[in-house]
Amino acid sequence: MVELSLREGLMSKGRDAFIAQLHEEAPLFRDPDGFWVASRFEDVRMILLDHKRFSSSAMGNVSSATLQSSGRAFAFPLLTDDPPRHSVLRALLAKAFTPAAMEAMQPYVEELARDLTAAIPRGKEIDVVAAITSPLPVAVIARMMGVPGEHAAEFRRWSNAVADIQSGPIAPERIKAVMELRGYFARVSAERRASPGDDLISAMTRVRETSEALSDDQIVAFCILLMVAGNETTTNLLGNLLNRLARAPEGWAALKGDPGLIEAAIEESLRVDSPAQNVIRRATEDVEIAGTRIAAGELVIIYLASANRDPAKWDDPAHFELKRIRERHVAFGHGVHTCIGAPLARLEAKAAMTALVGRFAELRRGAERGQRLGGGLLYGFRSLPLVFA
Ligand code: HEM
C-alpha cells in the first residue's frame, strides 16, 4: 500500500522507486493531501483527451498547497483556459510555431548551437547548463519575442529567477527579478501596441482589439509563460540527455558513429526523464476510471513522468535505451493543450546535439555530480559539470 503523499514519497523513496511503486500498487492514487494522482499511460491519455470532464481552468485557483505539491508557483493564461477561449488564444500563438516558422528559425538555431559548442574548451570540466543548455533556448525565445540583443543578459537572469521560483524556495531577490520582468514586459507591450512588429508580443497586443482581448496583465503573464515553458523545459531536456550519455559513454560513441540516432536519443530522454513531470486537471463531473470514482470538483495530478514509465507499455521502463522501439510518449502532454513548442524544443535539442557530437569524440562525467532542480514540476539540472574531449 502507498501510504505516503506524492511529495513525501518522492522525497523519501526517490523518484524512480516511488514511480515504480505507484504502478505496482496504486496507479490511481488518492493523495493524503487531497487530490488524485494518475500514473498509468492509458488513464493519462484518456484524461488529457477529455477536456470537457477534466478542465484546465481550475489550475488558476487551486490551493497553494496543491500548487506546491505539483511544483507550481504561477497560474498562466492558455494553460489554464478551456475551449472555446483556449482555442482562440492557441490559434494566436500557433502562427509562431508553424512548420514554415520553424524552418525559418532553423539556420539561426543551428548557428547559435555551433557558436556555443565552439566556445566549449576541450578536455576541461565545464557546467553544461551555463555553457549551452540554458543560453540556447533563452536566446531563441528572446528572438521570437523580439527582445533586442542588448537586453539578452537581463532576460536570461529574469528567466532563471522565474525557473527558480517554480522549482525552489521563493527568495526576495527572485521576487525582485520577477517584478523587474513584469515591468519590462509591460513596457515592451506598450511600445509594440504603439508600433507593432511581426513578433509574438505585437501579435498579442492585436488580440486586444477583438472580443477575446487580453488585459495588460494577461499579456505579461503570457510572456512569462513563454519564457518558462520555452526555456526551462528545453534546458532540462538537454541536461538530462547529456547526463545519461555521460554516464553510459557507449551512447556517445553510438551517436558519433550514427548521428541519425540523435532524434531517437532525444525522444528516449523525453520519455525516461520527462522535463515537465506533471500537469493538473479538475473533474467537472463525477467520473469513473478503472473502477475508481473521481468526484466533480476534485483535482487530478496527471503524472506524465510516470505514464512514460508504464511497465504495461515499455519493458524495463526506467532504463534509458537508445535503440528502443519508439512508442509515442506523453512528455509534451496530449489533447488540446499538447505542447505548442514541441517542434521548437526538438529543433533546438537536435541542433545542440548535432553540434556537440560533431565536434567532440568523447563525453565524460565531471568530478561533481551536479545539482538537480528542486520541486516537483521541472526535472533537470541547475548545474551539471561534464567534460567534452
Ligand atoms: C522539452 C521541452 C518541452 C516540454 C517537455 C514541454 C512540455 C509541455 C507540456 C507537458 C505541456 C502541456 C500542458 C498541459 O497539458 O496542461 C506544454 C504546453 C505548452 N508548452 Fe511546452 N514543453 C517544452 C517546450 C516548449 C517550448 C520550447 C515552448 C515555447 C517556446 C513551449 C510552450 C508551451 C505552451 C505555450 C504550452 C501551452 C499550450 C496550451 O495550453 O495549449 N513548450 N508543454
Side-chain angles (χ1 to χ4, degrees), residues 78-79 86 90 141 229-230 233 279 281 304 331-333 337 339 341 345:
L78 185 72
L79 269 179
H86 171 265
R90 174 118 183 167
I141 196 73
T233 46
V279 298
R281 299 291 187 264
L304 304 175
F332 289 117
H337 289 276
C339 179

Side-chain angles (χ1 to χ4, degrees), residues 6 10 14-16 18-19 22-23 27 29 36-41 44 48 274 276-280 300-309 330 376:
L6 176 63
L10 289 172
R15 208 175 64 105
D16 292 3
F18 192 63
I19 287 178
L22 283 182
H23 278 299
F29 167 57
W36 293 93
V37 180
S39 57
R40 244 184 323 226
F41 186 86
V44 160
L48 291 179
S274 306
Q277 296 274 290
N278 63 65
V279 298
I280 306 182
V300 189
I301 291 189
I302 319 293
Y303 202 168
L304 304 175
S306 160
N308 283 335
R309 290 183 175 204
V330 284

Side-chain angles (χ1 to χ4, degrees), residues 222-362:
F222 222 132
C223 292
I224 298 179
L225 163 67
L226 279 174
M227 249 173 91
V228 177
N231 293 342
E232 303 309 329
T233 46
T234 310
T235 297
N236 295 339
L237 159 60
L238 270 169
N240 292 336
L241 174 54
L242 290 171
N243 177 56
R244 288 275 175 186
L245 293 169
R247 272 153 186 74
E250 67 280 3
W252 192 262
L255 296 185
K256 193 89 199 144
D258 178 6
L261 284 174
I262 286 175
E263 285 177 18
I266 292 168
E267 297 309 312
E268 179 65 350
S269 175
L270 283 163
R271 182 191 71 78
V272 83
D273 292 323
S274 306
Q277 296 274 290
N278 63 65
V279 298
I280 306 182
R281 299 291 187 264
R282 193 190 289 274
T284 56
E285 56 185 78
D286 293 357
V287 188
E288 200 173 294
I289 296 180
T292 304
R293 186 171 148 278
I294 296 178
E298 287 187 316
L299 278 173
V300 189
I301 291 189
I302 319 293
Y303 202 168
L304 304 175
S306 160
N308 283 335
R309 290 183 175 204
D310 189 335
K313 199 166 160 68
W314 289 279
D315 291 334
D316 195 4
H319 181 63
F320 175 88
E321 194 178 319
L322 211 50
K323 295 191 178 161
R324 196 184 274 284
I325 295 172
R326 252 198 270 172
E327 288 262 8
R328 207 181 119 70
H329 56 69
V330 284
F332 289 117
H334 196 57
V336 293
H337 289 276
T338 300
C339 179
I340 203 165
L344 181 63
R346 288 183 163 123
L347 170 65
E348 290 176 21
K350 190 173 171 193
M353 291 306 296
T354 305
L356 290 167
V357 167
R359 186 171 166 87
F360 297 109
E362 232 185 281

